Amino acid sequence: MQQAQTAAEAAPPSARAIAGGAVETVLSRGLNVRHIRFMALGSAIGTGLFYGSASAIQKAGPAVLFAYMIGGAAVFMVMRALGEMAVRHPVSGSFGQYASRYLGPLAGFVTGWTYVFEMAIVAIADVTAFSIYMGFWFPAVERWIWVLAIIFFLAALNLLSVKVFGELEFWFSLIKVVAIVAMIAGGAAIIAFGFQAGGATVAPGLGNLVEHGGLFPNGFEGLLASFAVVMFAFGGIETIGVTAGEAADPKSVIPKAVNTVPVRVLLFYVLTLGVLMSLFPWNEIGTNGSPFVQIFSGLGIPAAPHILNAVVITAALSAINSDIFGAGRILFGLARQGHAPASFGKVSRHGVPWLTVVMMAGILLVGVVLNAVIPEDVFLLIASIATFATVWVWVMILASHVAMKREIARKNLPASEFPSPWWPAASVLTIVFMALVIAILGAFEDTRVALYVGAVWLGLLVVAYRLWVRGHGRVRADLVDETANETAGMSAGEPAGTAPVQPAP
């Protein structure tokens, strides 16, 4: 590790900035298997599940289960594509650098900044949600005070070593996972033993999935409309790829985390919402508070609202924490590529890109103002804008992966150690599905504004690139191919690769 740092410092500044392989030589590799595995679990449980699921159910009815399964399958393919690239090029700039390397510097610039935009929007929504949750216990305290407090608290934690971040995410995620499992077990007990769930107007049972208008009460159109919220729920899962640059053993850790995606989708979304809609008719869910409060109340637990409030507060804290981490590391990668101010590429003595954390905290301060002027019913608008940004990033991940696979075949490079399955059919179908989701945003009036905002954002990024990006920022990222390194090392006794410094072990 120290040798790699010395080599990086000896290299010319422009070479260090261009080389993706140099990125991980300055960040601390403090995330182990336990950290990343629970970060992967936690990324699937957030505002989109605890709050957004009710909106998705109202749009599609029980058919929302199909939406989560279809969306989950598409997200799995995105994660396998990202996982293959992350194992081959474990850098913190992640998909921003992959897009720059395989699609060109403009693509990398747009992808990286769109992800930062996505994280900023979602984080503002999450800090707002946190203030609302705290208002349940402290109604006399102004919401903006909670927003301000949590911003400074989490920013301070993110300025410590990445291991502190990993430990925090581990415990946050553990609480959420335990809560979800308890909800599923409790709900299943109610269904199995026929208890009358509190607040329910009909007896619980699987029949509730089909007895109130059928599986598709709002038709196929309702199913399509729900994708705006469903895909929002999966947003942020790509943060797993961002951890590659700080994982102690990315070749082992990343595949294990990525391969848990299908289980997480089935457990946390499909099974949870299936139990929920078996307990209560779908048209009653969310009409009397959180759908998860309904489950706890149905179990006859007097403190149900307080238990649920503690869980959703944990979920919000975890989401904000991940947003700050993910956006900060992508900004770090953008700075190394010449696509962001060079100051964002500086790290503290703990190996943390401190200025990116400060910037994200500054962006979140906008949430203090928004809490005073924005009504609480704008969730769908925020979700749809975030969905556009999320899906755009996923499309760029898939496109980068396609370009990488074509280059591997064209140059006869060593096969990937973690290849994406069903290539190329699955990748092409997933890209088509993502395009469909973007079209759906424009098809419905309540989400159409997201398309307008997204188009303006992408246009502004292209203009910004043309006006301000110069020098090595106009050059493709130069990433070390660690698969090629290992193969060359076995045959020639020395590592290969295109970056001017060796990757850290």
Side-chain angles (χ1 to χ4, degrees):
M1 178 73 174
Q2 186 60 43
Q3 291 177 345
Q5 288 176 323
T6 304
E9 290 166 0
S14 59
R16 293 201 309 268
I18 295 173
V23 172
E24 74 272 22
T25 64
V26 292
L27 294 180
S28 172
R29 288 189 178 272
L31 298 177
N32 58 34
V33 175
R34 175 172 57 89
H35 294 148
I36 295 180
R37 182 168 290 173
F38 271 83
M39 286 173 64
L41 287 170
S43 64
I45 315 171
T47 306
L49 174 61
F50 289 111
Y51 187 60
S53 58
S55 176
I57 290 171
Q58 290 302 316
K59 286 182 175 297
V64 77
L65 298 178
F66 296 110
Y68 279 108
M69 285 188 281
I70 294 170
V75 169
F76 175 63
M77 293 312 305
V78 173
M79 294 308 300
R80 283 300 301 257
L82 178 57
E84 181 173 349
M85 292 187 291
V87 169
R88 203 172 190 98
H89 309 293
V91 295
S92 273
S94 192
F95 37 83
Q97 298 227 47
Y98 305 148
S100 178
R101 166 66 178 82
Y102 292 106
L103 301 177
L106 174 59
F109 178 84
V110 172
T111 301
W113 279 106
T114 299
Y115 176 77
V116 174
F117 176 65
E118 171 199 344
M119 289 295 97
I121 293 174
V122 173
I124 290 173
D126 286 332
V127 295
T128 301
F130 172 79
S131 68
I132 294 172
Y133 300 151
M134 292 301 294
F136 176 79
W137 286 330
F138 306 98
V141 179
E142 293 288 340
R143 279 167 44 182
W144 67 267
I145 294 177
W146 294 116
V147 174
L148 201 62
I150 199 59
I151 290 172
F152 285 119
F153 173 68
L154 290 179
L157 289 177
N158 272 270
L159 288 173
L160 300 176
S161 71
V162 71
K163 187 173 182 179
V164 173
F165 165 81
E167 284 295 327
L168 196 62
E169 274 302 290
F170 169 78
W171 290 107
F172 280 160
S173 297
L174 184 62
I175 291 172
K176 292 188 291 185
V177 170
V178 170
I180 290 290
V181 172
M183 290 177 193
I184 293 173
I190 293 175
I191 295 170
F193 297 106
F195 299 143
Q196 185 71 28
T201 58
V202 296
L206 296 177
N208 280 326
L209 294 174
V210 294
E211 291 175 358
H212 305 278
L215 278 175
F216 292 82
N218 295 328
F220 187 67
E221 182 177 319
L223 174 66
L224 291 178
S226 70
F227 277 110
V229 180
V230 168
M231 300 312 288
F232 166 78
F234 295 127
I237 199 169
E238 66 275 7
T239 303
I240 299 172
V242 180
T243 66
E246 290 164 278
D249 183 12
K251 291 183 183 294
S252 171
V253 171
I254 298 299
K256 290 179 181 177
V258 168
N259 283 334
T260 61
V261 170
V263 176
R264 298 204 308 275
V265 171
L266 290 173
L267 177 64
F268 298 137
Y269 286 95
V270 178
L271 189 54
T272 302
L273 297 184
V275 168
L276 180 62
M277 288 186 288
S278 296
L279 293 176
F280 305 93
W282 68 270
N283 51 359
E284 292 183 12
I285 293 173
T287 57
N288 295 308
S290 167
F292 294 94
V293 170
Q294 289 179 269
I295 290 182
F296 275 112
S297 299
L299 293 172
I301 301 176
H306 296 283
I307 295 173
L308 191 281
N309 204 53
V311 172
V312 295
I313 283 174
T314 301
L317 290 172
S318 174
I320 299 165
N321 201 35
S322 292
D323 295 341
I324 293 174
F325 172 85
R329 269 47 177 189
I330 290 293
L331 277 170
F332 176 81
L334 288 169
R336 303 290 292 190
Q337 292 175 254
H339 291 166
S343 54
F344 288 146
K346 297 179 180 179
V347 297
S348 68
R349 60 189 179 89
H350 300 295
V352 173
W354 63 272
L355 193 59
T356 65
V357 175
V358 173
M359 176 185 166
M360 279 301 293
I363 291 174
L364 289 179
L365 290 176
V366 176
V368 177
V369 178
L370 294 181
N371 269 278
V373 298
I374 287 187
E376 296 177 12
D377 58 355
V378 296
F379 174 78
L380 184 60
L381 174 62
I382 293 176
S384 57
I385 294 175
T387 297
F388 175 88
T390 299
V391 172
W392 178 266
V393 169
W394 289 345
V395 168
M396 298 305 286
I397 289 172
L398 291 166
S400 302
H401 177 254
V402 169
M404 183 189 77
K405 297 288 279 189
R406 293 177 64 184
E407 181 174 304
I408 290 173
R410 186 173 64 252
K411 296 183 178 180
N412 197 28
L413 298 176
S416 298
E417 297 170 86
F418 184 51
S420 182
W422 308 301
W423 164 263
S427 296
V428 173
L429 289 175
T430 306
I431 292 174
V432 171
F433 171 76
M434 295 302 173
L436 174 63
V437 173
I438 292 177
I440 289 172
L441 291 177
F444 295 93
E445 186 176 353
D446 53 358
T447 59
R448 192 171 298 147
V449 66
L451 214 56
Y452 301 145
V453 172
V456 171
W457 170 255
L458 295 178
L460 289 175
L461 286 180
V462 173
V463 172
Y465 178 84
R466 301 297 183 193
L467 291 178
W468 291 307
V469 175
R470 294 289 183 270
H472 66 263
R474 294 291 187 103
V475 179
R476 289 175 183 260
D478 191 4
L479 307 180
V480 169
D481 186 336
E482 294 207 356
T483 304
N485 277 353
E486 292 187 358
T487 303
M490 287 185 292
S491 60
E494 61 182 34
T498 53
V501 296
Q502 303 299 333

